[in-house]
Amino acid sequence: MADLDMTDIWNAEDILDREGADLFEVDGHDIGKSEANVFLYAADPDAAVTRILAIFRHGLLREGMRIGVSKDTDPARAGKSYRAVYPPGLNTFEIVL
């Protein structure tokens, strides 16, 4: 994460807000020792992932992006475990703080 600064994170949030086509809501971020995470809420996670990947393919998001979708549908438990979604071949997704 040495080459990632707060401006990069804010830019990603702004791009997702602007390009999200109302499929998700940006809900902030956190920063760990080795990564930054941007959190989104979506009623239809699969549609949200499809849109995020389109944004990425248009060159608007940084290389190295990974996507995980919360396995929990109860908001009180959301974020406890994730389904790895992107990139292809990603077997696990964890938030590392």
Side-chain angles (χ1 to χ4, degrees):
M1 194 178 91
D3 65 336
L4 184 68
D5 63 28
M6 288 304 300
T7 303
D8 294 318
I9 297 166
W10 293 326
N11 285 340
E13 290 176 332
D14 288 345
I15 289 165
L16 290 164
D17 266 339
R18 184 179 66 242
E19 302 291 331
D22 295 324
L23 292 172
F24 50 81
E25 178 182 334
V26 176
D27 188 46
H29 60 269
D30 71 12
I31 301 171
K33 293 179 182 177
S34 62
E35 67 185 29
N37 303 295
V38 175
F39 297 98
L40 310 173
Y41 284 115
D44 183 346
D46 292 330
V49 168
T50 298
R51 182 65 190 146
I52 293 165
L53 293 176
I55 295 167
F56 177 71
R57 282 191 298 274
H58 283 99
L60 299 175
L61 297 172
R62 287 176 56 117
E63 293 289 328
M65 173 182 73
R66 298 177 311 124
I67 300 174
V69 174
S70 178
K71 292 180 180 179
D72 300 304
T73 56
D74 177 359
R77 294 201 34 82
K80 304 296 184 197
S81 61
Y82 297 89
R83 169 174 55 98
V85 176
Y86 182 86
L90 182 65
N91 294 319
T92 60
F93 184 94
E94 296 178 348
I95 301 288
V96 179
L97 299 175

